[in-house]
Amino acid sequence: MLSVAQAEALILGLVQPFNPEQDSEALNVSGNVSGARGRILARPVTSTLNFPHWDNSAMDGYAVRFEDIQDCSPEHPVTLEIVEEIPAGYQPQRVIGKGQAARILTGSVMPSGADTVVMQENAQRVGNQVTLQIAPSPGAFVRRQGEFYTAGDPLLPAGLVLQAPEIAVLAAAQCAQVRVYRQPRVAILSTGNELVEIDQPLQPGQIVDSNQYALAALVAQTGALPQGLGRVPDDPASLKQAVAEAIASADVVLSSGGVSVGDYDYVEEILASLGGEIHIRAVAIKPGKPLTVATFSRQPETGTTLSIPPSSSPLLYFGLPGNPVSALVTCWRFVQPALRKLAGMPQSGWGPTFVTAKTRTRLSSDGKRESYLWGCLSLVNGQFEFDLVRGSHSSGNLINLAGTNGLAVLPIGKTQVQAGELVTVMLVGSP
């Protein structure tokens, strides 16, 4: 049985990130903001524009020549003639000469001849004249052309996730189309005769297949495309067919259930029969010990034709535990980082993210496996604090997982953390 760290390193080592040429597509940003959000740049972006596009004012005030006002003071004020008004969007028509100034607004183009802006709060205007008593520094409140960005330089790097700031930059730079990695396709299936759909009446012994919904939501949250393949009965032939179809249609396959040592746990045997190479069978994590990880070549031995773009990256198969909390914890801990690496994110973005928090409640574990206890993380006076949720911390108790945004981590050998002590917490939501 592998440790959590060993399993994480092995899984990430199996993932080959998408190829920026082979596994990318053109994305139109114009008119498709919702579709652009969350996508990952496959190529660096440059622009033909300078930022600012031209010298402009950072303040409402007066554009002047510094040499005209450098010696002004309350004792020796300087009065200048206002020769032009320059609102935003207006191209200046006058050259500012000796003893002259232009009224200018924030963002407006600096007129030729002027090199400094005086804030309007430091000026007194009477008619077409302005009197100054305080000399600013040379070049004050002038944003120079290309000061923020020079045309032709790298603007946004490959691997960057497009969110509101990046989309704003693309729009301002008139980059209407960019190259992004395609979204990983993730096939999701659940095994078990006891599973039913959300709207199906429950019979004795039956439960709703909540894993299908939870895993699809996590996959979508990671930026990948979930493909729900539904429920598969505990029948070797049916399961083998479903797994073969999943392998042929996805970049990653998630199955839940059937990976333990019960009489109806067939997943590992079926993976081997389909040509899969099994790398992990169990991990010393609680909850989530029975975890199967395998890889397949892009052309499975069944001879099924692939319905995904060709890729040099092997298909990754995760056989997750069937218990709902175990499935979610293993997905948070191992699957999401793998998906982020596959999708083209830089290593700094793979996650998961850990913080140190003060626990408000006593935490306990048997110390035999690395334990993940779910609860609520909050930021109080600049320090994270963690509250263990009430109720059973059974891997089958999905109910008290609602509202969870952090998992307190107790390493192997650690059986207790007292209230008020510090603990490592893995983020699974926003504190």
Side-chain angles (χ1 to χ4, degrees), residues 63-390:
V64 302
R65 303 187 331 152
F66 179 73
E67 63 183 285
D68 288 342
I69 64 166
Q70 58 183 333
D71 297 323
C72 74
S73 67
E75 294 76 22
H76 300 92
V78 172
T79 299
L80 304 175
E81 178 189 6
I82 301 172
V83 297
E84 189 171 24
E85 300 270 347
I86 308 175
Y90 174 80
Q91 180 62 40
Q93 303 298 309
R94 298 286 298 272
V95 175
I96 305 302
K98 183 177 180 179
Q100 296 179 333
R103 170 64 172 157
I104 195 166
L105 299 181
T106 302
S108 298
V109 179
M110 285 289 291
S112 297
D115 57 15
T116 300
V117 172
V118 177
M119 296 172 58
Q120 64 182 15
E121 293 85 347
N122 296 332
Q124 294 82 44
R125 178 175 181 173
V126 178
N128 68 340
Q129 292 186 325
V130 59
T131 299
L132 312 175
Q133 297 182 352
I134 300 175
S137 58
F141 305 119
V142 176
R143 296 182 291 216
R144 300 296 180 186
Q145 181 183 33
E147 178 181 334
F148 305 153
Y149 169 79
T150 303
D153 286 350
L155 180 64
L156 298 176
L160 191 65
V161 180
L162 298 180
Q163 300 293 357
E166 293 76 24
I167 292 172
V169 169
L170 291 176
Q174 295 189 317
C175 297
Q177 187 179 85
V178 292
R179 197 78 186 174
V180 297
Y181 287 106
R182 67 178 179 86
Q183 296 170 277
R185 301 185 187 182
V186 182
I188 303 171
L189 56 93
S190 303
T191 67
N193 295 330
E194 74 280 14
L195 302 177
V196 298
E197 277 296 335
I198 190 172
D199 55 355
Q200 184 177 340
L202 292 176
Q203 301 299 322
Q206 293 182 331
I207 59 173
V208 174
D209 178 19
S210 61
N211 285 350
Q212 189 84 205
Y213 295 89
L215 296 178
L218 275 178
V219 165
Q221 182 182 332
T222 312
L225 297 175
Q227 300 176 339
L229 302 185
R231 298 164 289 111
V232 183
D234 288 321
D235 169 67
S238 299
L239 186 55
K240 183 174 183 178
Q241 180 179 351
V243 171
E245 291 175 356
I247 292 170
S249 65
D251 301 293
V252 175
V253 178
L254 306 181
S255 69
S256 61
V259 294
S260 189
V261 291
D263 292 340
Y264 298 97
D265 295 335
Y266 305 115
V267 169
E268 185 173 320
E269 177 184 338
I270 288 171
L271 296 180
S273 71
L274 291 173
E277 182 180 355
I278 298 175
H279 303 274
I280 298 176
R281 291 177 170 84
V283 180
I285 185 173
K286 183 179 182 179
K289 174 184 173 182
L291 174 67
T292 298
V293 179
T295 52
F296 289 82
S297 66
R298 281 304 188 180
Q299 185 64 47
E301 292 187 2
T302 57
T304 307
T305 302
L306 293 174
S307 60
I308 58 173
S311 175
S312 58
S313 176
L315 179 137
L316 195 59
Y317 187 103
F318 289 91
L320 307 176
N323 279 326
V325 179
S326 299
L328 280 169
V329 169
T330 51
C331 196
W332 277 321
R333 188 63 183 85
F334 302 116
V335 177
Q336 283 192 317
L339 287 177
R340 294 186 183 110
K341 180 180 179 181
L342 176 66
M345 280 192 185
Q347 186 171 355
S348 59
W350 298 346
T353 299
F354 296 92
V355 299
T356 300
K358 180 176 69 175
T359 179
R360 294 173 177 169
T361 48
R362 186 174 65 88
L363 309 176
S364 61
S365 164
D366 61 12
K368 297 178 181 178
R369 288 177 277 160
E370 187 167 298
S371 297
Y372 289 69
L373 306 175
W374 49 100
C376 296
L377 190 70
S378 56
L379 191 59
V380 180
N381 297 325
Q383 180 182 29
F384 285 111
E385 296 187 1
F386 178 80
D387 269 316
L388 188 71
V389 298
R390 297 181 179 181

